[in-house]
Amino acid sequence: MLRNAVRRRTVKIQLPAIALAAALSASVLLAWPAFAEDAADAEAKENQRSEAALAIIKKADEAIKKIDSIRFQSTVKPEGMATNFVSYAEGGGHMTGFNGQTPEKFYGKVTTSRVGSEDKIQIEGGGDGDTYFLIDHSTKKGYEDMDPGVMGSTGQLLQGIGMIEYVHNAPFDDEMTAEIVELAGEEKIGDEDCHKVRVVYAGGRGESVWSFSKDDHLPRQRVRVFRSPQGEGSITITLTKVEPNPEVDTGDYKMSLPEGYEQIDDFAP
């Protein structure tokens, strides 16, 4: 952004020494409340960034950066207004690498339903960076292409079961620079005793409550909280059976249609 330069003309005014002193004193007194308010705001913000909570996030950041790949089971549970755009899902998968936006290679299998429907569907899919695919077991149709868009909107249900932080190259930068980082208690997630950390992101980008294992420091749950004039809601993703750096079948990244299934030469809906 370019800023226009404004040149101002300086006018010199001669004041007697006493008048000048009085003017300076008045200006200091008038400015003092603003300085005091700024200092109070700074102190309040500092108090909202708990050193203990930040230390937990830093340990998680360090632990995740030592991981090349991850296998997991997970559930996604929306509540409140979030049910208008996300459905409950459960499943699992594995992923490795990061291409700047998505995992470099990933595979997942999920049981869920489309928003607004109670009919369960089972979808399976993934990609290896060169080709991507989606199999809809409810319709017995498969889709495959070099364009990840072949997975369609249904593919978003599939990708939503994983925590991208596990393969991201800057997993918790947003959390470490958040406006509020505070301890939110403890909780058991699956078999893991966890620290809970509440984060309110800078720039009005919402808030999350993270649960980090006390043992390996890896995240086991994230509750994303949404607030708007239309209402409130949340999306909770919970990971269990977390296995760092697993041995995986690379064939998972390619489509293999069961007998009787139809391959569609188009993108999935």
Side-chain angles (χ1 to χ4, degrees), residues 62 127 129 136 206 216:
E62 293 169 359
D136 187 334
D216 60 18

Side-chain angles (χ1 to χ4, degrees), residues 80-175:
M81 63 172 292
T83 59
N84 295 326
F85 53 88
V86 176
S87 295
Y88 177 84
E90 57 185 20
H94 51 81
M95 54 186 175
T96 184
F98 186 65
N99 66 11
Q101 293 184 326
T102 63
E104 184 178 347
K105 299 178 181 180
F106 64 94
Y107 166 81
K109 192 171 186 178
V110 177
T111 300
T112 184
S113 61
R114 293 184 172 86
V115 174
S117 172
E118 295 183 358
D119 296 335
K120 296 294 183 182
I121 61 172
Q122 188 176 68
I123 53 177
E124 178 181 1
D128 62 1
D130 293 323
T131 59
Y132 302 85
F133 74 95
L134 182 133
I135 301 173
D136 187 334
H137 291 284
S138 62
T139 60
K140 295 186 177 182
K141 294 179 179 180
Y143 310 81
E144 185 176 32
D145 197 87
M146 296 174 61
D147 187 339
V150 72
M151 302 177 74
S153 59
T154 309
Q156 296 177 9
L157 302 174
L158 184 69
Q159 296 181 52
I161 65 167
M163 282 187 187
I164 192 66
E165 286 79 12
Y166 271 96
V167 294
H168 203 285
N169 52 17
F172 291 109
D173 281 15
D174 288 343
E175 283 72 18

Side-chain angles (χ1 to χ4, degrees), residues 9-66:
R9 184 176 300 173
T10 302
V11 179
K12 294 184 179 180
I13 302 176
Q14 300 295 330
L15 293 176
I18 295 178
L20 180 58
L24 290 173
S25 297
S27 66
V28 170
L29 288 172
L30 289 172
W32 172 250
F35 286 132
E37 185 177 347
D38 290 345
D41 289 345
E43 183 178 359
K45 288 182 179 179
E46 185 64 27
N47 291 338
Q48 290 176 324
R49 288 176 51 81
S50 161
E51 288 298 326
L54 283 166
I56 291 170
I57 292 178
K58 288 176 182 177
K59 286 182 180 179
D61 190 76
E62 293 169 359
I64 274 188
K65 286 178 177 177
K66 295 177 182 178

Side-chain angles (χ1 to χ4, degrees), residues 48 50-54 56 181-185 195-198:
Q48 290 176 324
S50 161
E51 288 298 326
L54 283 166
I56 291 170
V181 184
E182 60 186 11
L183 297 175
H195 295 290
K196 295 176 68 176
V197 177
R198 176 176 175 262

Side-chain angles (χ1 to χ4, degrees), residues 128-267:
D128 62 1
D130 293 323
T131 59
Y132 302 85
F133 74 95
L134 182 133
I135 301 173
D136 187 334
H137 291 284
S138 62
T139 60
K140 295 186 177 182
K141 294 179 179 180
Y143 310 81
E144 185 176 32
D145 197 87
M146 296 174 61
D147 187 339
V150 72
M151 302 177 74
S153 59
T154 309
Q156 296 177 9
L157 302 174
L158 184 69
Q159 296 181 52
I161 65 167
M163 282 187 187
I164 192 66
E165 286 79 12
Y166 271 96
V167 294
H168 203 285
N169 52 17
F172 291 109
D173 281 15
D174 288 343
E175 283 72 18
M176 288 189 286
T177 58
E179 292 180 353
I180 298 176
V181 184
E182 60 186 11
L183 297 175
E186 300 178 354
E187 187 175 2
K188 197 173 186 71
I189 306 294
D191 297 328
E192 298 289 327
D193 291 320
C194 296
H195 295 290
K196 295 176 68 176
V197 177
R198 176 176 175 262
V199 174
V200 178
Y201 299 98
R205 290 181 294 135
E207 68 179 84
S208 294
V209 178
W210 289 90
S211 294
F212 299 101
S213 169
K214 294 182 180 180
D215 181 29
D216 60 18
H217 312 298
L218 297 175
R220 292 305 197 280
Q221 187 180 84
R222 180 186 187 183
V223 182
R224 300 184 65 183
V225 180
F226 303 91
R227 294 187 176 90
S228 74
Q230 290 73 38
E232 298 184 3
S234 64
I235 299 174
T236 300
I237 177 170
T238 303
L239 266 58
T240 56
K241 298 182 181 179
V242 173
E243 183 184 353
N245 301 322
E247 292 186 7
V248 301
D249 183 352
T250 56
D252 286 348
Y253 304 129
K254 296 288 187 180
M255 186 169 73
S256 178
L257 284 178
E259 186 177 350
Y261 279 55
E262 179 185 7
Q263 181 166 349
I264 305 299
D265 188 20
D266 198 356
F267 285 14

